[in-house]
Short mmCIF file of all heavy atoms in Angstrom, two decimals:
data_model
loop_
_atom_site.label_atom_id
_atom_site.label_comp_id
_atom_site.label_asym_id
_atom_site.label_seq_id
_atom_site.Cartn_x
_atom_site.Cartn_y
_atom_site.Cartn_z
N SER A 10 3.04 -7.40 -5.33
CA SER A 10 4.47 -7.42 -5.03
C SER A 10 4.73 -6.26 -4.09
O SER A 10 4.44 -5.10 -4.41
CB SER A 10 5.27 -7.26 -6.33
OG SER A 10 6.65 -7.22 -6.05
N ILE A 11 5.26 -6.56 -2.90
CA ILE A 11 5.37 -5.56 -1.84
C ILE A 11 6.83 -5.28 -1.51
O ILE A 11 7.63 -6.19 -1.29
CB ILE A 11 4.66 -6.04 -0.56
CG1 ILE A 11 3.19 -6.36 -0.86
CG2 ILE A 11 4.76 -4.99 0.55
CD1 ILE A 11 2.45 -6.97 0.33
N GLY A 12 7.17 -3.99 -1.46
CA GLY A 12 8.50 -3.56 -1.04
C GLY A 12 8.38 -2.50 0.04
O GLY A 12 7.46 -1.68 0.00
N PHE A 13 9.27 -2.51 1.01
CA PHE A 13 9.24 -1.46 2.02
C PHE A 13 10.65 -1.20 2.53
O PHE A 13 11.55 -2.04 2.43
CB PHE A 13 8.30 -1.81 3.18
CG PHE A 13 8.70 -3.01 3.99
CD1 PHE A 13 9.53 -2.89 5.09
CD2 PHE A 13 8.23 -4.27 3.65
CE1 PHE A 13 9.90 -4.00 5.83
CE2 PHE A 13 8.58 -5.39 4.38
CZ PHE A 13 9.41 -5.25 5.48
N ALA A 14 10.83 0.00 3.09
CA ALA A 14 12.12 0.38 3.67
C ALA A 14 11.84 1.34 4.82
O ALA A 14 10.85 2.08 4.80
CB ALA A 14 13.02 1.04 2.62
N GLN A 15 12.74 1.35 5.81
CA GLN A 15 12.48 2.14 7.01
C GLN A 15 13.79 2.66 7.61
O GLN A 15 14.81 1.98 7.57
CB GLN A 15 11.73 1.29 8.04
CG GLN A 15 11.05 2.05 9.14
CD GLN A 15 10.06 1.18 9.90
OE1 GLN A 15 10.41 0.12 10.40
NE2 GLN A 15 8.81 1.62 9.97
N TYR A 16 13.73 3.87 8.15
CA TYR A 16 14.89 4.50 8.81
C TYR A 16 14.49 4.95 10.20
O TYR A 16 13.43 5.57 10.39
CB TYR A 16 15.36 5.71 7.99
CG TYR A 16 16.38 6.57 8.68
CD1 TYR A 16 17.73 6.21 8.69
CD2 TYR A 16 16.00 7.74 9.35
CE1 TYR A 16 18.67 7.00 9.33
CE2 TYR A 16 16.94 8.53 9.99
CZ TYR A 16 18.27 8.16 9.98
OH TYR A 16 19.21 8.94 10.62
N CYS A 17 15.33 4.63 11.20
CA CYS A 17 15.09 5.04 12.58
C CYS A 17 15.94 6.26 12.90
O CYS A 17 17.17 6.20 12.79
CB CYS A 17 15.43 3.91 13.55
SG CYS A 17 14.45 2.41 13.32
N ALA A 18 15.31 7.35 13.30
CA ALA A 18 16.04 8.58 13.57
C ALA A 18 16.82 8.52 14.89
O ALA A 18 17.83 9.19 15.06
CB ALA A 18 15.08 9.77 13.59
N GLU A 19 16.34 7.72 15.85
CA GLU A 19 16.99 7.59 17.15
C GLU A 19 17.17 6.12 17.50
O GLU A 19 16.22 5.44 17.87
CB GLU A 19 16.18 8.29 18.23
CG GLU A 19 16.16 9.80 18.11
CD GLU A 19 15.52 10.48 19.32
OE1 GLU A 19 15.09 9.74 20.24
OE2 GLU A 19 15.45 11.71 19.33
N GLY A 20 18.39 5.62 17.38
CA GLY A 20 18.70 4.24 17.76
C GLY A 20 17.90 3.23 16.97
O GLY A 20 17.72 3.36 15.76
N ASN A 21 17.41 2.20 17.66
CA ASN A 21 16.67 1.13 17.01
C ASN A 21 15.17 1.25 17.18
O ASN A 21 14.42 0.37 16.74
CB ASN A 21 17.12 -0.23 17.57
CG ASN A 21 18.57 -0.54 17.24
OD1 ASN A 21 19.03 -0.27 16.14
ND2 ASN A 21 19.29 -1.09 18.21
N LEU A 22 14.70 2.32 17.83
CA LEU A 22 13.28 2.50 18.04
C LEU A 22 12.73 3.46 17.00
O LEU A 22 13.10 4.63 16.97
CB LEU A 22 13.01 3.04 19.46
CG LEU A 22 13.26 2.07 20.60
CD1 LEU A 22 13.13 2.80 21.94
CD2 LEU A 22 12.29 0.90 20.54
N CYS A 23 11.84 2.96 16.18
CA CYS A 23 11.27 3.77 15.10
C CYS A 23 9.86 4.18 15.49
O CYS A 23 9.05 3.36 15.93
CB CYS A 23 11.24 2.98 13.79
SG CYS A 23 10.71 3.97 12.38
N GLY A 24 9.55 5.45 15.32
CA GLY A 24 8.22 5.96 15.61
C GLY A 24 7.18 5.55 14.59
O GLY A 24 5.98 5.76 14.80
N ASP A 25 7.62 5.00 13.46
CA ASP A 25 6.71 4.49 12.43
C ASP A 25 6.55 2.98 12.58
O ASP A 25 7.53 2.27 12.82
CB ASP A 25 7.26 4.76 11.02
CG ASP A 25 7.49 6.23 10.74
OD1 ASP A 25 6.95 7.07 11.48
OD2 ASP A 25 8.21 6.54 9.78
N THR A 26 5.33 2.51 12.41
CA THR A 26 5.07 1.07 12.38
C THR A 26 4.38 0.70 11.08
O THR A 26 3.41 1.36 10.68
CB THR A 26 4.18 0.64 13.56
OG1 THR A 26 4.85 0.93 14.79
CG2 THR A 26 3.89 -0.85 13.51
N ILE A 27 4.90 -0.32 10.42
CA ILE A 27 4.34 -0.82 9.16
C ILE A 27 3.65 -2.15 9.40
O ILE A 27 4.20 -3.03 10.07
CB ILE A 27 5.44 -0.99 8.09
CG1 ILE A 27 6.01 0.36 7.67
CG2 ILE A 27 4.92 -1.75 6.87
CD1 ILE A 27 7.19 0.26 6.72
N LYS A 28 2.45 -2.30 8.85
CA LYS A 28 1.73 -3.57 8.90
C LYS A 28 1.20 -3.89 7.51
O LYS A 28 0.70 -3.01 6.80
CB LYS A 28 0.55 -3.50 9.86
CG LYS A 28 0.91 -3.31 11.33
CD LYS A 28 1.38 -4.62 11.96
CE LYS A 28 1.57 -4.47 13.45
NZ LYS A 28 2.04 -5.73 14.07
N THR A 29 1.31 -5.15 7.12
CA THR A 29 0.67 -5.63 5.89
C THR A 29 -0.20 -6.83 6.26
O THR A 29 0.22 -7.70 7.00
CB THR A 29 1.69 -6.04 4.82
OG1 THR A 29 2.51 -7.10 5.31
CG2 THR A 29 2.59 -4.86 4.45
N ILE A 30 -1.43 -6.83 5.75
CA ILE A 30 -2.40 -7.86 6.12
C ILE A 30 -3.02 -8.45 4.87
O ILE A 30 -3.48 -7.71 3.99
CB ILE A 30 -3.54 -7.26 6.98
CG1 ILE A 30 -2.99 -6.52 8.20
CG2 ILE A 30 -4.53 -8.34 7.39
CD1 ILE A 30 -4.02 -5.62 8.86
N ASN A 31 -3.05 -9.75 4.78
CA ASN A 31 -3.87 -10.45 3.79
C ASN A 31 -5.03 -11.07 4.56
O ASN A 31 -4.82 -11.97 5.37
CB ASN A 31 -3.06 -11.52 3.07
CG ASN A 31 -3.81 -12.11 1.88
OD1 ASN A 31 -5.03 -12.24 1.92
ND2 ASN A 31 -3.08 -12.47 0.84
N ASP A 32 -6.25 -10.57 4.32
CA ASP A 32 -7.37 -10.98 5.16
C ASP A 32 -7.97 -12.32 4.76
O ASP A 32 -8.98 -12.75 5.32
CB ASP A 32 -8.46 -9.90 5.18
CG ASP A 32 -9.20 -9.77 3.86
OD1 ASP A 32 -8.82 -10.45 2.87
OD2 ASP A 32 -10.17 -8.98 3.80
N SER A 33 -7.36 -13.01 3.81
CA SER A 33 -7.80 -14.32 3.30
C SER A 33 -9.16 -14.25 2.61
O SER A 33 -9.76 -15.26 2.29
CB SER A 33 -7.84 -15.38 4.43
OG SER A 33 -8.93 -15.17 5.31
N LYS A 34 -9.67 -13.04 2.38
CA LYS A 34 -10.93 -12.84 1.67
C LYS A 34 -10.71 -12.07 0.37
O LYS A 34 -11.64 -11.51 -0.20
CB LYS A 34 -11.92 -12.09 2.56
CG LYS A 34 -12.30 -12.85 3.82
CD LYS A 34 -13.24 -12.03 4.69
CE LYS A 34 -13.59 -12.77 5.98
NZ LYS A 34 -14.48 -11.97 6.87
N GLY A 35 -9.46 -12.02 -0.05
CA GLY A 35 -9.15 -11.35 -1.31
C GLY A 35 -8.78 -9.89 -1.17
O GLY A 35 -8.83 -9.15 -2.15
N HIS A 36 -8.38 -9.46 0.04
CA HIS A 36 -7.98 -8.08 0.25
C HIS A 36 -6.57 -8.03 0.84
O HIS A 36 -6.25 -8.78 1.76
CB HIS A 36 -8.93 -7.35 1.19
CG HIS A 36 -10.32 -7.23 0.68
ND1 HIS A 36 -11.29 -8.18 0.94
CD2 HIS A 36 -10.91 -6.29 -0.11
CE1 HIS A 36 -12.43 -7.81 0.36
NE2 HIS A 36 -12.21 -6.68 -0.29
N MET A 37 -5.75 -7.13 0.30
CA MET A 37 -4.45 -6.81 0.89
C MET A 37 -4.56 -5.45 1.53
O MET A 37 -4.98 -4.47 0.89
CB MET A 37 -3.35 -6.82 -0.17
CG MET A 37 -1.98 -6.47 0.37
SD MET A 37 -1.34 -7.68 1.57
CE MET A 37 -1.07 -9.10 0.50
N ILE A 38 -4.19 -5.35 2.82
CA ILE A 38 -4.29 -4.10 3.55
C ILE A 38 -2.89 -3.65 3.97
O ILE A 38 -2.12 -4.45 4.52
CB ILE A 38 -5.19 -4.26 4.80
CG1 ILE A 38 -6.60 -4.69 4.38
CG2 ILE A 38 -5.25 -2.94 5.58
CD1 ILE A 38 -7.49 -5.09 5.54
N LEU A 39 -2.58 -2.39 3.72
CA LEU A 39 -1.30 -1.80 4.07
C LEU A 39 -1.53 -0.70 5.08
O LEU A 39 -2.46 0.09 4.94
CB LEU A 39 -0.62 -1.21 2.83
CG LEU A 39 -0.64 -2.06 1.56
CD1 LEU A 39 -0.17 -1.25 0.37
CD2 LEU A 39 0.22 -3.30 1.74
N ILE A 40 -0.67 -0.62 6.10
CA ILE A 40 -0.82 0.39 7.14
C ILE A 40 0.55 0.97 7.49
O ILE A 40 1.52 0.24 7.69
CB ILE A 40 -1.42 -0.21 8.43
CG1 ILE A 40 -2.80 -0.81 8.17
CG2 ILE A 40 -1.52 0.85 9.54
CD1 ILE A 40 -3.34 -1.62 9.36
N ILE A 41 0.63 2.31 7.56
CA ILE A 41 1.74 2.99 8.21
C ILE A 41 1.14 3.86 9.32
O ILE A 41 0.27 4.69 9.07
CB ILE A 41 2.55 3.89 7.26
CG1 ILE A 41 3.22 3.08 6.16
CG2 ILE A 41 3.62 4.66 8.05
CD1 ILE A 41 4.03 3.93 5.18
#
Side-chain angles (χ1 to χ4, degrees):
S10 177
I11 303 174
F13 64 89
Q15 197 165 55
Y16 170 81
C17 299
E19 291 188 0
N21 294 320
L22 290 173
C23 186
D25 301 343
T26 298
I27 292 174
K28 294 282 187 180
T29 61
I30 306 165
N31 189 326
D32 70 355
S33 73
K34 298 178 182 178
H36 297 91
M37 179 64 69
I38 300 171
L39 316 169
I40 300 170
I41 297 180

